[in-house]
Amino acid sequence: MATERPLVLPGDVIPPSLIPTSANPNKKQQPLRLGPGLRHIPPSDIVPTVAGQLITVPHKNSMWVEYNSSRYTPTPSDLVIATISRSGPDFYYASLSPYTANATLPHLSFEGATKKTRPQLPPGSLVYARVTLANKHMDPEIECVSSATGKADGLGPLKDGMVFDISLGFARRLLMARSKEEGKVEVLELLGEEGLAFETAVGRNGKVWVSGASDAKGNEGVNAKTVVVVGRALQETDTKRLGVEQQRKLVKKLVREMR
Amino acid sequence: MTTSAPTLAIPGQLLGHASKYQPGPGTHIHESNLYASLLGTIHVTQPAKAPGPVKRLTKITPAPAPAELPTISVTVPTRSAGAEHQQKKREVLPEVGNVVLCRVIRITPRQAVVAILVCGDTVLDAEWQGLIRVQDVRATEKDRVKIYESFRPGDIVRAEVISLGDQANYYLSTARNELGVILATSEAGNAMHPVNWKEYRDPETGLLELRKVAKPY
């Protein structure tokens, strides 16, 4: 990762030394890719539009601004947790974030669904879906099956469990490939080490679903406590911005309270 | 019933029989009688006399053809226009088969809602709402059309009226080469130039945007 991550404000001038260029003359010159928070004003200006840390990845020739917010704007190929609000003739209408337009989820967009065999999702049920279409002119569209392969790959209805709200930045850290090193999020591993059995799904729209493990035997009470403890741990890590050591302490405290 | 100098007609007033007059703007036919529809002055225009065949005594001559009947019309006098304008002002409505210019208001995955601005060569007084359904955007591969790659809100589209539709909307189609988007604005806010039948290019940023482009005349 880049060593320097300056704080930028909207409208700041970015010094050209920070803009990565392909230093390797042998390799093909990759075009510079701008991520969220940056805007290209032709011919050669790059301007931040939000306040945050400017992150550059030289070997991929990309740069973006890392900022935290609570309002999710749908982007294609994002994994999200959607709440079904009602059913239409060909689509379910699912909510990705409060007070925004519903996303449409086709009835047949589930693995192995035909007109006769499709999942019946009552209002309030949760699905783990991928955003297929999102632009400022139309309502977003989501799918629960990969349209290329026809397989679900983990998408689909989420049974039981409970959903917790987290900030978008925390959701991104949880979804990182190496969330322990780079995202500094170790809460889930620590809770697992303490012996709790649970499963989670993280949506980029700021939602995390926690459920007691599917093969857990025993009474409902244990599962509910597990879910609540995991959810509380995640939310506290997020709101109080806990580091790894503090996460360790938090997990120990919560597990002790639970037992 | 009068064919003399223009007099006043009120809606519902009997003007004449359908066999004697041809109905013009501002009139309607009910049970073979011509009635006025508007409050205005009555005008009778005599048809141009077409040269007919030489009259033959043995031929049974049919009733006068409709083109030979005088046309009776009721026109509403406007305050500022002169007498000549009163004759020409008439209400233009889009009809089936008319080519219209419209502006895209809203897009949904199944249709584009447009406001019809110009019908033929006449700029309309009121904007009529029209719909371009996703199966009427193109003539080929109708099921694979994506509205977001054909129209965007704010585009000016040349379309053809295919149906008068229901109370709210006309139904339009762009399923011909010369129909489609004629004026588009890019995401950056610049007017774009067409590249081919499905792409517009922003001259300042160089970015391409997908539209269903109308073939220029």
Side-chain angles (χ1 to χ4, degrees), chain A residues 39-40 42 89-91 104 133-139 141, chain B residues 106-110 146-148 151-153 187-188 204-205:
Chain A
R39 196 169 150 195
H40 174 231
D90 282 327
F91 303 99
T104 49
L133 176 79
N135 57 69
K136 57 181 177 179
H137 301 299
M138 300 196 324
D139 294 344
E141 292 179 14
Chain B
R106 193 165 68 235
I107 50 173
T108 74
R110 290 203 195 157
K146 295 198 181 144
I147 287 276
Y148 188 63
F151 304 116
R152 297 277 168 92
E187 300 257 330
E204 203 180 301
T205 63

